[in-house]
Structure formats: structure tokens, C-alpha cells
Amino acid sequence: MTTVQPIAWSEAGVRILDQTRLPGEEVYLDLETVDAVAEAIASLRVRGAPLIGIAAAMGLAAAARDRAARGTLPPDWIAEAADLLEGTRPTAVDLRWALDRMRRTGADGCATGLPAEEVARALHDEAQLIWDIEIGMCRSIGEHGAPLIEPGSTVLTHCNTGVLATGALGTALAAVYVAHEEGRGIDVVATETRPLNQGARLTAWELGRAGIACRVIVDGAAASLMAAGEIDLVITGADRIAANGDSANKIGTYALAVLARAHGIPFFIAAPRSTFDLALASGAAIPIEQRSPDELPTAPHVQVYNPAFDVTPAELIDGIITDAGVLRPPLEEAIGEYGGRKVESP
Amino acid sequence: MTTVQPIAWSEAGVRILDQTRLPGEEVYLDLETVDAVAEAIASLRVRGAPLIGIAAAMGLAAAARDRAARGTLPPDWIAEAADLLEGTRPTAVDLRWALDRMRRTGADGCATGLPAEEVARALHDEAQLIWDIEIGMCRSIGEHGAPLIEPGSTVLTHCNTGVLATGALGTALAAVYVAHEEGRGIDVVATETRPLNQGARLTAWELGRAGIACRVIVDGAAASLMAAGEIDLVITGADRIAANGDSANKIGTYALAVLARAHGIPFFIAAPRSTFDLALASGAAIPIEQRSPDELPTAPHVQVYNPAFDVTPAELIDGIITDAGVLRPPLEEAIGEYGGRKVESP
């Protein structure tokens, strides 16, 4: 199976797939400065929380190598570069996690008096490690999730949770990719995912590149496909999971969970354990970002209510597929046991 | 309450609101020939099954008056004009019904040897009658539906079922308009209605023009608003209702019905009795139109599944608001009693 490569090291920097041009055009950009990487993140050329963190770390490392080759690599330069990159998407947890690791690596190298080239090498290795952690975590999610997908199944998914979001196999899509690798003969139904169409634009495109059959539907059509017996299970990602298992994810996920239950179809969430926020007792405590009305084309002066996420209560979730295994109801207990462990990955 | 006027008689023809320009621009076009009216219908400048029928009849009448003023109004001219108009949207039942009435009126007038101007006058009166029937039917639906809407309620609706679709108060929106007229202090949540966005483009616009508060949401956000207790009832239209009450309507309606039931929210269908198709025992017999994949923007070669309608089973419907009253479960019995009567209107 060949998946698309949304990020790679290039000769003098990092090479990214410009996701704003998808699915119409497949354009790769070589980014050689911190400013260029910051621009790519801010303008959503690189998107998906994990991939943003990886891109920022790799971009910082590549620019540091260039800086070191021209003489010095002062600790202030590293700190300022990290601040600039972190400011592009202030709410992205993975971005902060990745840049904190890069700051620490840079500061440690400088403090111990390593030559500039050695510090740059350490930053490169750290960025690669951040990427490798993501790759390993996604692979684990995929391997735990794939056995849930019976041969010949049709999987319904929402939004984009795959290679384009993570620079690795993804979360919900990791299970799909591994099931496909294992020759289970599955296919996918991708919801369009309004208002930003990540399903229609990104999921369908990356599955097509991997040779996995995929049909796109409008979000409102999921119910009639379920009623027709055409959906065997639903797997979505999650942005934040409370201690009791209530899960926040892209708007429209909760509807799919209610509909799946009404039609007797299993509903799974796939997410790394780092998605658990044990400080939150339940989904009621998860803040829901309200996004710009401009994302919906309507008349001027029309009021638009545009929440980015909704919360699916734990009782509608048949399991949470994590990098440490599938957590089954009662989710509160399962999360307490697995999610409570100290996790090194973001 | 002032609603928008999507159609009107003009000096030398009919004046239509060009709905393809909404909601950005409010452009009215004076159409003075059968060809111009046919073009407006075919290109969706005029849309909504009832409004198409009214526009075709009025356009034919206006062109006939012009033809008569220039000398003769042969029966063949009337028949050919009706055929041309009917060919614009071959599956629209209201269009065929309206044009059959116009054909009969024209043929009767010619057969009894009336002067051309008298035939043209009869055609004008018939077109006005077709419009008046629609106005009366929508008003009846509105008056039967409004009492279902408690003061201060928030009504969720789907697609566009109002003035822009009918040239009158509409079906689901008729209940909203009458409740607003009665000062019930209601507001509306309109789903965007993918893939063609009739809710965001048309419903929000026409409610705004009538001074009714309306918020637009993506289709996938309806569930979380229901869970938050922000929706008091759901009313949608219907395209076809089987003898047992199963109702076909715009894709996404069935999901709203399942979600409403899961949240304990009443779900109503509003439609004239002419929507009943008593030849169909159940919704399983209702043919579902598959529409072009081009309605969903996605990558080339991506498969798109784009059904225009879905079927809501009778057991999820708390009532069907018709021009003859609200039919309550068991719907099969209620439809047998009311829907079985001979109905003069389309």
C-alpha cells in the first residue's frame, strides 16, 4: 500500500504537500526558512494537529542547520523561531508539545557548549523522533482497530483523520489502512463534512491514492445508507476525550453516533491516549470552539451558528481505539486504567 | 408581515425573482415570451415544484395575450407552447398538472369558437386560478400547522419550503409564517441543506425578509442543538407520501426524524394532500432520484453517492400537516380517510 507523503525532508529544508490546493492539484512546496514554514501552517497548507507539530519541528530543524552552516546557532534564535511557529495556531496542543521538545533540545545543546552543527544535528534528530512517535502511535491505533473491521465491511467515517492530518497512518483511517493492508476487502463511505469539506476533499483523495474504494456522501445521507444496511461500522477521530469517555470531535459526529445506535451499527472513536483530558469529568466541561459564519455561504445579515465540534456521550461509544488497545465500556473505568498512565507521546 | 414576491404579473408578461442570484443579489426579470419562461424554469431561475407550475401557466397566458393582440391564437400554438414548457422539468408533477389545465382551457376556448382575445383572457384567468389554489392551500396548511408551534418555540426546518418554492406561504414554512403573524414569538433554525444549500441560500433569506429570526447551521449540527434543548419541534416538507404515511423528502430529512425521536422532539411533515400517492403501499416503493456527482466538490475519479431524497418511515412522524388538517398516527388510517378524497388542487 502506498500512501501519499504530506511531509518529507528535502535537500535544504522540508517538503510539504500544499493541502489548500487539494483535491484539484497536487503541489509540493520546498520550505527553507522558519518564516516559510510558519506561513504554510498559518495558511493551512499544512493542517491536522499532529502534522502541524511535525512540520514545525522539522522546519525549525532545517532552518537551524542552515543557520549553523553559516556560523552560529544562538539559543535566542532557537527560542524566537519556536515562538514564531507556535504563534501560528495558538490552540494546537500537538504544536506546543513538539516545539517544547525542540526548545528543550536546543537549550540543552547550547548549554552544554556543543558546536552549532551538533546542536543542529540534535534538533534534526529530535524532529525526526517527533515524527517517528506519531508514526508508531498511528500504526498501533491501526493494528488495534483493524480487527474490529470484518472482511468485506463498509466503514463510515467523518472528517479527515488520515495521512494528511498526521503525517502517518492517522487515527480512524489508520484502522482502515491496516485492514486494507491485511486484505480484508473493505470499502469506505466518507461524509463530505461541512462546512470545510475535509471528507470530500481530503479523505476521499488520500484513500484513492492508497487504492481503497471510497464513496463521498453529504452528511445528511448517512442515515439513509444506514437504514439500507450499507454501513457495517462507524469510526471517527476525537479532538478531546473526557475522563468518563464523552468525546468531542468534528461537528456532525454526535449525529452519526445517535444514528448508528438507532440502526444497531457499532460506533468507535479512534485516538491516541494523549487525547484524554482527565481533568475534565465529562463532555459538558469540554469547550466548543465557535467558528466564523463565513464558512457557510448565506445571505448577508443572516445569523449563522457554526460550532466546530460536538460531544458524543460515552454511552453511544462502543469502544475507543487507542495506541494502547481498544477501550470498551464502561469507558470511565477503561480510561482510568489506560489513559491515566503517563504518556510520553503528545 | 411582508413576504418576498417570487412571481407577479407584469405589464407585458410575468416578473420573476431570479433565484439563481440569491442570496447575493435580488434581481427581477420581466419575461414576455414562452421561450424566456421556459429558459427561466430550465435554468432554475424559477424553482420549487408549485412555483414552476404557476410560472409556466402565467407565462403561457401572458404570451397568449400578446399573440392574440397580434391577430390569432390557434389551438396548435397553445399546445406547442405547453409542450415546450412541460419539457423543461419533465418530472415535475405540478408543472404537468398546471399545463394540462391550461391546455384544456385553451382547447375549450378555441373549440367553442371564442375570439382570440377571449381565449387569452380565459387562459389568464386559469393561470390566476392555479396561483390562487396554491395560495389557498398553503394558507390552510399554515393555519393548521401554526397551533402546533407553542409561543416562543424554535422550529428546525430543512431545505426550502416557503414563498420561494410555492409563490404562496409554502408548506413547512407556512406554519412558521402563520405562527409569526399570530405573534407567537418564534424563531427558526434552518439547516444548510447540502448539496444545494437551499436552507442557507433561500430559507434564511426569505425568513429574513419577513422579519422572522433565523439561524443557519450545517446539517450535521442539528443533533447537538437538539441535545442542548434548543429545538422545540421539527417541520419539513415532503415530495411524496405513501399510503402508509412513509414520506420522501430532501436527503437529510430522515436523519432529522431519527434525531428528533431520540431527543423527544416532535417531528412533523407539512404537505398538501396532493402529495399523497395512494398507489404506493409504503416508502419502499418510492423511487429515489440519484443526482449528479458534480453537486459535491471532490477530487476527480472520486465516487460520489448523491441521492436527492430519503424516506422517513411513518412511525417517526408525529403528524402530517395538510390543507385539510393535521393527520395524526396511525397515519395509514388518517391518510385513507383524508387523502383518499378526490382533490381538485395539484
Side-chain angles (χ1 to χ4, degrees):
Chain A
M1 181 183 67
T2 313
T3 60
V4 71
Q5 271 292 354
I7 196 157
W9 296 105
S10 67
E11 192 68 28
V14 293
R15 178 165 300 158
I16 63 137
L17 172 60
D18 185 348
Q19 297 194 31
T20 61
R21 311 281 283 271
L22 292 177
E25 295 170 287
E26 186 174 345
V27 176
Y28 293 86
L29 305 175
D30 282 334
L31 309 178
E32 301 182 359
T33 65
V34 170
D35 283 341
V37 174
E39 188 281 334
I41 294 171
S43 63
L44 308 182
R45 299 184 201 286
V46 175
R47 54 154 285 286
L51 183 57
I52 287 171
I54 294 163
M58 290 172 65
L60 176 55
R65 189 179 63 170
D66 177 62
R67 186 74 168 75
R70 289 188 284 112
T72 61
L73 186 57
D76 285 358
W77 182 93
I78 298 171
E80 278 165 29
D83 290 349
L84 176 71
L85 288 162
E86 190 173 329
T88 53
R89 298 287 302 273
T91 58
V93 174
D94 300 70
L95 178 61
R96 196 169 61 226
W97 174 82
L99 289 169
D100 279 347
R101 289 186 72 128
M102 296 298 284
R103 282 190 186 98
R104 207 178 316 127
T105 301
D108 288 355
C110 295
T112 53
L114 286 182
E117 266 135 40
E118 296 283 312
V119 176
R121 158 73 44 197
L123 288 169
H124 177 97
D125 292 349
E126 186 66 22
Q128 182 63 51
L129 178 62
I130 287 167
W131 191 8
D132 289 344
I133 288 172
E134 185 66 27
I135 291 170
M137 203 160 55
C138 290
R139 169 61 62 178
S140 293
I141 292 171
E143 286 173 355
H144 289 299
L148 300 171
I149 309 177
E150 295 291 325
S153 290
T154 298
V155 180
L156 178 82
T157 191
H158 191 53
C159 201
N160 177 255
T161 61
V163 173
L164 292 172
T166 59
L169 282 186
T171 54
L173 288 192
V176 167
Y177 281 123
V178 175
H180 175 74
E181 271 180 5
E182 292 175 352
R184 288 172 180 256
I186 59 161
D187 70 319
V188 172
V189 171
T191 54
E192 181 183 33
T193 316
R194 292 292 294 163
L196 297 180
N197 306 343
Q198 292 94 332
R201 288 196 303 113
L202 306 177
T203 298
W205 186 80
E206 71 165 82
L207 291 176
R209 290 297 297 267
I212 299 174
C214 175
R215 282 172 291 167
V216 174
I217 59 170
V218 293
D219 300 55
S224 57
L225 275 173
M226 290 182 184
E230 294 197 37
I231 305 296
D232 296 298
L233 77 168
V234 179
I235 314 179
T236 76
D239 285 80
R240 209 152 166 191
I241 303 175
N244 72 341
D246 292 352
S247 298
N249 190 44
K250 183 67 56 201
I251 189 74
T253 303
Y254 168 55
L256 295 175
V258 173
L259 294 167
R261 178 61 53 90
H263 293 89
I265 296 167
F267 177 88
F268 291 97
I269 292 278
R273 284 169 299 167
S274 53
T275 310
F276 296 126
D277 187 341
L278 302 181
L280 304 178
S282 79
I286 302 178
I288 300 296
E289 177 189 357
Q290 300 294 326
R291 291 182 56 86
S292 165
D294 300 341
E295 291 180 354
L296 275 88
T298 185
H301 315 303
V302 166
Q303 230 190 312
V304 169
Y305 176 68
N306 186 24
F309 305 104
D310 58 25
V311 175
T312 298
E315 62 261 29
L316 293 176
I317 301 171
D318 292 297
I320 301 179
I321 308 164
T322 77
D323 46 313
V326 181
L327 310 191
R328 296 282 191 172
L331 290 174
E332 183 143 26
E333 274 177 38
I335 291 170
E337 187 180 340
Y338 287 90
R341 289 187 197 161
K342 183 158 166 34
V343 178
E344 287 304 313
S345 49
Chain B
M1 183 182 66
T2 313
T3 60
V4 69
Q5 271 292 352
I7 196 158
W9 295 107
S10 66
E11 192 69 25
V14 293
R15 177 165 302 160
I16 62 137
L17 172 60
D18 184 349
Q19 296 193 31
T20 62
R21 311 282 283 272
L22 292 176
E25 295 171 288
E26 186 174 345
V27 176
Y28 293 86
L29 304 175
D30 282 334
L31 309 177
E32 301 183 358
T33 66
V34 169
D35 283 342
V37 174
E39 190 279 336
I41 295 172
S43 62
L44 308 181
R45 298 184 201 287
V46 174
R47 53 152 289 284
L51 183 58
I52 288 171
I54 295 164
M58 288 171 66
L60 176 56
R65 188 179 64 170
D66 176 63
R67 186 74 168 75
R70 288 188 286 112
T72 61
L73 184 58
D76 284 359
W77 182 93
I78 298 171
E80 278 164 29
D83 290 350
L84 176 72
L85 288 162
E86 190 173 329
T88 53
R89 300 286 302 274
T91 58
V93 173
D94 300 70
L95 178 63
R96 195 168 64 228
W97 174 82
L99 289 169
D100 279 347
R101 290 186 71 129
M102 296 299 283
R103 282 188 186 97
R104 206 177 319 126
T105 301
D108 288 355
C110 294
T112 53
L114 287 181
E117 266 133 41
E118 296 282 312
V119 177
R121 158 73 42 198
L123 287 169
H124 176 100
D125 291 350
E126 186 66 23
Q128 182 63 51
L129 179 62
I130 288 166
W131 191 9
D132 289 344
I133 288 172
E134 185 66 26
I135 290 170
M137 203 159 55
C138 290
R139 169 61 62 179
S140 294
I141 291 171
E143 285 174 355
H144 290 299
L148 300 171
I149 308 177
E150 295 292 325
S153 290
T154 299
V155 181
L156 178 82
T157 190
H158 191 53
C159 201
N160 176 257
T161 61
V163 173
L164 292 172
T166 59
L169 283 186
T171 55
L173 287 192
V176 167
Y177 280 123
V178 174
H180 176 73
E181 273 181 1
E182 292 174 353
R184 289 174 180 255
I186 60 162
D187 71 319
V188 172
V189 171
T191 55
E192 181 183 32
T193 316
R194 292 291 294 162
L196 297 180
N197 307 344
Q198 293 93 334
R201 288 196 302 112
L202 306 177
T203 297
W205 186 80
E206 71 165 83
L207 290 176
R209 289 297 298 267
I212 299 175
C214 176
R215 282 172 292 167
V216 174
I217 59 170
V218 294
D219 300 58
S224 57
L225 276 172
M226 290 181 185
E230 293 196 38
I231 305 296
D232 296 298
L233 77 168
V234 180
I235 313 179
T236 77
D239 285 79
R240 209 152 163 189
I241 302 175
N244 72 342
D246 292 353
S247 297
N249 191 44
K250 182 68 56 198
I251 189 75
T253 303
Y254 168 55
L256 295 175
V258 173
L259 293 167
R261 179 60 54 89
H263 293 88
I265 296 167
F267 177 88
F268 291 97
I269 292 278
R273 284 169 298 168
S274 52
T275 310
F276 296 127
D277 187 341
L278 301 181
L280 304 178
S282 79
I286 302 178
I288 300 296
E289 178 189 356
Q290 300 294 327
R291 292 183 54 87
S292 165
D294 300 341
E295 291 180 353
L296 274 87
T298 185
H301 314 304
V302 166
Q303 231 190 311
V304 169
Y305 177 67
N306 187 23
F309 306 103
D310 58 24
V311 175
T312 298
E315 62 262 28
L316 293 176
I317 301 170
D318 292 297
I320 302 178
I321 308 164
T322 77
D323 47 312
V326 181
L327 310 191
R328 297 280 191 173
L331 290 174
E332 184 144 23
E333 274 176 37
I335 291 170
E337 188 181 338
Y338 286 90
R341 289 188 196 159
K342 183 158 168 32
V343 178
E344 288 304 313
S345 48

